[in-house]
Amino acid sequence: MPTLSQFLFGATVLGALLAALGIALSPAWQSWRRRRLARQPFPAAWRRVLARHVPQVRRLPVDLQLRLKQLMQVFIAQKPFIGCDGLVVTEAMRVVVAAQACLLLLNRPQWHYANLRQVLLYPGAFLVDRVRTEAGGVLRDERQVLAGESWSQGQVVLSWDDVLAGAADPTDGRNVVVHEFAHQLDQADGQSNGAPPLPQGMDARRWARVLQAEFDHLQRQLAAGEENLLGAYAATNSAEFFAVASEVFFEQGPRLAATRPALYAELAAFYGLEPTSW
C-alpha cells in the first residue's frame, strides 16, 4: 500500500500530465502550433511535387499560393495518412493530397478540418459493400467501386490514381479530393445534407433557398435531356450536389458564374474566394 507521500507525489505527477494534456488540447495552444508550423520554410522538394503534379497552384494569385503552402504545412503535420491494400504512402502523395484539400480552406483560416482524424489512400479505385433499401423495405447487398469517400467519423478515403488524375487537369471540373473534402466541411456538424456550417455573416435561409432552387433546376434539366455543367451525379441528393458544385467552382469558376450566377455567388461567399479571377 503506498504511503501518503507516495500518493501525493503520484497525484502531483498525474495532475501535471493532465494539465499538460489540457494545454495541448486547448484552442489557444492549437492555434499557436498552427502558426508555428505555417511559418516554417516550405520544402524545396514539395515545390517540385506541386510543379509536377498540381498545376492548379500556378493559377492562383501569389498571395493565395503562399497561403496554400502554409495551410499544407499544417495539414501534413497534423493529419495522419494510412496506406491501404499494400500502398506505401510517400511524402509526395501527402503533398498532392494536401494541396488540393487545402484549396477549400484558402480564405477560411479558422477551418482546419477539425474532425478529420486520418486520410486513407488506396492505389486505385476500391470496393465497398453497401446495404441498399429498395421499394417495399427490401434490403439488398450491393458492391460499389469508388474513387473516394468521406466519413463523418473523421476519415477521408481516396484512390491515389484518381487523386493524380484530378490534380492533372485543373479545368475539367472533376476533382475527387475537392469533392470528398467538401463532404468533410458538410459533415462538420455531424450531418451530410448539403448544408454545412456557414461562415459568420452568411444568410442561412438564402443559402438553403438558392441551393434548393439550383438542385431542382438541375433535375429538370436532366429530365428534359438538356446539357448542364454539373452532371447527373450532382442530382443524387443535396450532399452530392454541394460536393460536385464545389468541384466545378474551383475548376470551372468562370463557366459556373456565367451559367449559374446565384449558385456561384453563394459558393464564393462560403469559400471566401473568386475563382473567376484566377
Side-chain angles (χ1 to χ4, degrees):
M1 184 174 181
T3 65
L4 178 59
S5 60
Q6 290 173 324
F7 174 81
L8 292 175
F9 175 77
T12 301
V13 172
L14 178 60
L17 289 173
L18 290 175
L21 180 61
I23 292 172
L25 295 178
S26 71
W29 186 89
Q30 292 284 358
S31 179
W32 174 85
R33 183 165 182 258
R34 291 188 190 112
R35 291 195 301 271
R36 183 172 178 272
L37 289 167
R39 287 195 297 266
Q40 300 301 310
F42 195 77
W46 294 11
R47 295 179 191 275
R48 291 192 290 272
V49 172
L50 294 179
R52 181 178 180 184
H53 293 297
V54 195
Q56 174 78 301
V57 176
R58 295 195 299 270
R59 301 176 65 215
L60 300 175
V62 174
D63 61 326
L64 291 184
Q65 290 187 34
L66 175 60
R67 176 64 182 153
L68 180 68
K69 291 170 182 175
Q70 293 171 336
L71 288 165
M72 288 173 58
Q73 289 174 279
V74 176
F75 186 97
I76 291 172
Q78 294 190 330
K79 306 303 180 184
F81 283 69
I82 298 174
C84 303
D85 201 17
L87 181 69
V88 177
V89 177
T90 65
E91 183 177 69
M93 292 176 181
R94 293 183 176 91
V95 170
V96 173
V97 172
Q100 297 172 85
C102 291
L103 283 172
L104 286 67
L105 308 181
L106 275 173
N107 267 348
R108 289 286 174 253
Q110 71 274 25
W111 295 352
H112 286 277
Y113 299 121
N115 297 333
L116 179 66
R117 295 192 290 111
Q118 54 195 206
V119 177
L120 281 65
L121 277 181
Y122 280 84
F126 50 93
L127 296 173
V128 296
D129 293 320
R130 293 282 185 269
V131 177
R132 187 175 70 181
T133 304
E134 297 184 333
V138 177
L139 300 180
R140 177 185 173 187
D141 291 332
E142 182 177 74
R143 177 160 289 187
Q144 298 177 333
V145 181
L146 300 179
E149 192 168 40
S150 173
W151 301 344
S152 58
Q153 295 89 346
Q155 289 90 13
V156 169
V157 191
L158 297 167
S159 153
W160 173 241
D161 286 345
D162 290 280
V163 169
L164 275 180
D169 187 347
T171 62
D172 65 358
R174 294 190 295 274
N175 188 299
V176 68
V177 178
V178 170
H179 185 104
E180 300 307 336
F181 278 88
H183 279 315
Q184 276 292 301
L185 297 179
D186 188 12
Q187 294 163 344
D189 59 358
Q191 303 181 69
S192 184
N193 56 8
L198 300 179
Q200 187 174 6
M202 281 195 69
D203 187 331
R205 287 177 295 182
R206 184 179 63 206
W207 168 274
R209 183 173 65 251
V210 169
L211 266 72
Q212 184 63 54
E214 294 291 337
F215 181 75
D216 293 342
H217 177 79
L218 174 61
Q219 291 190 315
R220 290 194 297 270
Q221 284 184 308
L222 292 170
E226 299 174 0
E227 291 188 7
N228 61 84
L229 186 58
L230 298 181
Y233 191 65
T236 304
N237 54 50
S238 297
E240 297 301 343
F241 181 82
F242 168 66
V244 172
S246 294
E247 293 180 79
V248 175
F249 174 78
F250 280 98
E251 295 208 343
Q252 297 179 327
R255 289 187 64 190
L256 185 64
T259 58
R260 310 307 311 164
L263 176 59
Y264 176 88
E266 289 303 304
L267 291 172
F270 178 77
Y271 287 111
L273 296 167
E274 287 287 352
T276 54
S277 65
W278 296 354

